[in-house]
């Protein structure tokens, strides 16, 4: 089995865990054609009833940003919303292949137009994915991504790095992921037992304290759907995470990894929080793109996720900056502005938006992860047992 076949097997068996007779949607860029074909074949081999690819294409996206009206870029379509509802009713599985083939695709574009998208469709899809469907998001190598990482389109070298990060070098990669998931889940259980009320991140340029929702649940490794089927939302994953109280975040952070956002590269991002909201965003480059996304809706400036990752991560041990959030966020502690995860609180998936917000969960059409960890980061948690070290100098100590 070559690396593409092993990749596809992990996506289908460990990631979304396709069940016999299940429908599958595959969201992917045209740059991932060969990999997409392998994933489709693996899904059918696992018993999928049907697999529908949903294609995106960078140059087509740039054409839309340059020429379509802002109203058209942001308008939701009734037929698209109906399709999402039907997917949820059928209990489909959702696979997304990411790996930006051109991180500079939207350089020079109007940042407001570049940030525009059909928010109602995105919110509807996120609502169904987080509450009713199994999903997985996986990074797929391509020449453009390789060029961003290594300065040349050395896809073979990128495959080597991705194979390490995704445990494709194991005798049974899917089994290796289930074992890693169990380790991360155990970390989450220990954090749950502490009943923390806040976490604090301290490192070079970072001192951020975030309040937590009483009874919030820390998740690591994977989830289990309503039918009892386990799945892994992200591969690779090395994190333990929860959704904080959107109303309680104060301090500053220095983002330690590059961020590719809406087709633009953001470097040296710095954020200031007060009263749970981002009140200032500066960067060495790309700050306008970040600021444009923060204006998406009222929830875009508040946090929807806090995450813990230590230096034992396979991604961290590669020493590579992947210029891909899925990989880089699993090399260090990170936070995300935007939407919360309903499953972070018991019964959250069945609650109304208003009920979730009353608890402190955040609602937004965006969810953007940024890495604030790495060498020197220390994380403490405060709760009924006092203040406890969780990570010291990028090493897990809890």
């Amino acid at each position: 089995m070559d690396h593409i076949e092993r990749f596809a097997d992990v996506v289908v068996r460990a990631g979304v865990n396709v069940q016999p007779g299940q429908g599958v949607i595959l969201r992917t860029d045209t740059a991932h054609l060969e990999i997409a074909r392998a994933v489709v074949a693996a899904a059918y081999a696992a018993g999928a009833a049907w697999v529908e690819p949903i294609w995106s294409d960078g140059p087509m996206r740039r054409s839309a940003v340059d020429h379509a009206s802002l109203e058209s870029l942001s308008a939701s379509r009734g037929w698209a919303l109906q399709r999402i509802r039907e997917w949820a009713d059928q209990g489909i599985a959702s696979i997304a292949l990411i790996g930006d083939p051109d991180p500079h695709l939207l350089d020079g574009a109007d940042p407001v137009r570049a940030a525009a998208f059909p928010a109602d469709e995105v919110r509807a899809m996120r609502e169904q994915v987080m509450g009713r469907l199994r999903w997985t998001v996986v990074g797929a190598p391509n020449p453009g991504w390789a060029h961003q990482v290594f300065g040349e389109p050395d896809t073979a070298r990128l495959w080597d790095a991705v194979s390490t990060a995704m445990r494709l070098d194991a005798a049974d990669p899917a089994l290796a992921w289930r074992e890693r998931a169990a380790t991360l889940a155990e970390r989450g259980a220990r954090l749950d037992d502490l009943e923390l009320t806040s976490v604090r991140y301290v490192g070079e340029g970072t001192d951020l304290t975030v309040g937590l929702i009483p009874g919030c649940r820390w998740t690591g490794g994977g989830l289990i759907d309503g039918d009892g089927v386990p799945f892994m939302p992200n591969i690779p994953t090395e994190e333990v995470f929860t959704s904080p109280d959107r109303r309680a975040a104060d301090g500053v952070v220095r983002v330690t990894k590059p961020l590719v956002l809406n087709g633009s590269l953001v470097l040296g991002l710095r954020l200031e929080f007060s009263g749970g909201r981002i009140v200032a965003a500066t960067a060495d480059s790309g700050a306008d793109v970040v600021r444009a996304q923060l204006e998406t809706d009222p929830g875009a400036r508040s946090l929807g996720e806090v995450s813990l990752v230590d230096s034992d991560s396979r991604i961290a041990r590669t020493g590579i900056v992947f210029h891909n959030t899925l990989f880089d966020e699993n090399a260090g502690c990170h936070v995300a502005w935007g939407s919360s995860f309903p499953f972070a609180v018991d019964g959250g998936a069945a609650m109304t938006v208003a009920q979730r917000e009353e608890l402190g969960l955040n609602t937004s059409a965006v969810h953007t992860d940024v890495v604030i960890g790495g060498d020197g980061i220390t994380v403490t948690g405060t709760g009924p047992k006092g203040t406890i070290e969780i990570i010291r100098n990028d090493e897990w100590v809890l």
Side-chain angles (χ1 to χ4, degrees):
M1 192 182 294
D2 66 14
H3 52 253
I4 291 181
E5 290 175 319
R6 293 172 75 83
F7 176 101
D9 183 67
V10 165
V11 170
V12 169
R13 289 176 55 215
V16 78
N17 198 356
V18 172
Q19 300 295 293
Q22 187 171 34
V24 179
I25 59 168
L26 172 63
R27 291 174 287 171
T28 180
D29 193 276
T30 52
H32 306 139
L33 177 59
E34 183 180 8
I35 299 170
R37 286 171 173 164
V39 170
V40 169
Y44 277 121
W50 52 264
V51 184
E52 179 182 347
I54 301 173
W55 297 98
S56 59
D57 180 79
M60 292 182 188
R61 169 65 179 163
R62 180 62 195 249
S63 293
V65 168
D66 287 344
H67 302 295
S69 69
L70 183 59
E71 181 181 14
S72 295
L73 290 169
S74 56
S76 293
R77 292 79 46 94
W79 61 265
L81 292 170
Q82 178 61 30
R83 182 172 63 172
I84 292 169
R85 287 190 288 267
E86 290 184 6
W87 285 337
D89 290 342
Q90 293 181 34
I92 61 97
S94 171
I95 299 170
L97 300 181
I98 63 172
D100 201 330
D102 184 2
H104 299 283
L105 173 73
L106 296 180
D107 285 1
D110 179 342
V112 175
R113 294 164 66 83
F117 61 92
D120 287 345
E121 291 176 28
V122 173
R123 275 191 287 264
M125 188 64 186
R126 181 172 286 122
E127 182 74 14
Q128 299 303 337
V129 161
M130 296 301 173
R132 300 176 64 185
L133 306 178
R134 294 197 311 282
W135 82 98
T136 195
V137 181
V138 191
N142 59 73
W145 181 15
H147 191 279
Q148 185 66 24
V149 176
F150 302 118
E152 57 182 343
D154 191 343
T155 309
R157 186 179 174 191
L158 180 59
W159 264 115
D160 287 342
V162 167
S163 293
T164 298
M166 289 185 59
R167 290 174 163 78
L168 302 185
D169 52 358
D172 185 338
L175 177 60
W177 274 115
R178 294 189 188 107
E179 292 171 345
R180 179 57 175 166
T183 298
L184 295 172
E186 194 274 334
R187 287 183 175 182
R190 273 185 280 165
L191 288 165
D192 286 345
D193 289 342
L194 293 175
E195 299 179 334
L196 299 176
T197 56
S198 67
V199 290
R200 182 183 181 189
Y201 298 85
V202 177
E204 183 182 350
T206 290
D207 189 346
L208 177 69
T209 300
V210 184
L212 301 179
I213 298 169
C216 68
R217 180 183 305 147
W218 289 86
T219 297
L223 297 170
I224 299 175
D225 75 359
D227 295 323
V229 179
F231 66 101
M232 300 187 70
N234 291 344
I235 295 181
T237 182
E238 302 285 354
E239 65 177 316
V240 181
F241 65 93
T242 192
S243 288
D245 189 328
R246 73 181 194 284
R247 302 160 294 196
D250 295 277
V252 294
V253 299
R254 179 180 69 92
V255 175
T256 55
K257 299 285 186 182
L259 169 67
V260 178
L261 180 62
N262 294 330
S264 295
L265 185 64
V266 181
L267 299 173
L269 179 61
R270 297 168 293 278
L271 303 171
E272 180 181 349
F273 291 81
S274 179
R277 294 180 63 77
I278 299 172
V279 295
T282 60
D284 297 335
S285 65
D288 55 345
V289 180
V290 173
R291 293 178 191 134
Q293 190 183 70
L294 294 176
E295 296 300 319
T296 299
D297 52 38
R301 288 182 176 268
S302 297
L303 291 180
E305 178 186 356
V306 290
S307 178
L308 304 172
V309 182
D310 68 326
S311 58
D312 189 45
S313 151
R314 273 209 176 199
I315 295 91
R317 290 189 319 205
T318 67
I320 293 173
V321 177
F322 281 90
H323 295 268
N324 177 290
T325 298
L326 176 62
F327 282 74
D328 289 335
E329 73 170 6
N330 284 291
C333 293
H334 56 274
V335 298
W337 65 75
S339 64
S340 293
F341 301 111
F343 54 77
V345 296
D346 285 336
M351 293 179 185
T352 65
V353 170
Q355 288 171 327
R356 293 173 192 161
E357 291 182 344
E358 178 69 20
L359 288 176
L361 292 174
N362 197 30
T363 303
S364 178
V366 302
H367 180 96
T368 298
D369 297 271
V370 289
V371 181
I372 62 174
D375 290 344
I377 193 73
T378 293
V379 184
T380 54
T382 299
K385 298 179 182 179
T387 297
I388 298 170
E389 267 194 324
I390 301 169
I391 292 176
R392 181 194 309 131
N393 193 23
D394 206 25
E395 293 186 3
W396 189 274
V397 294
L398 179 62

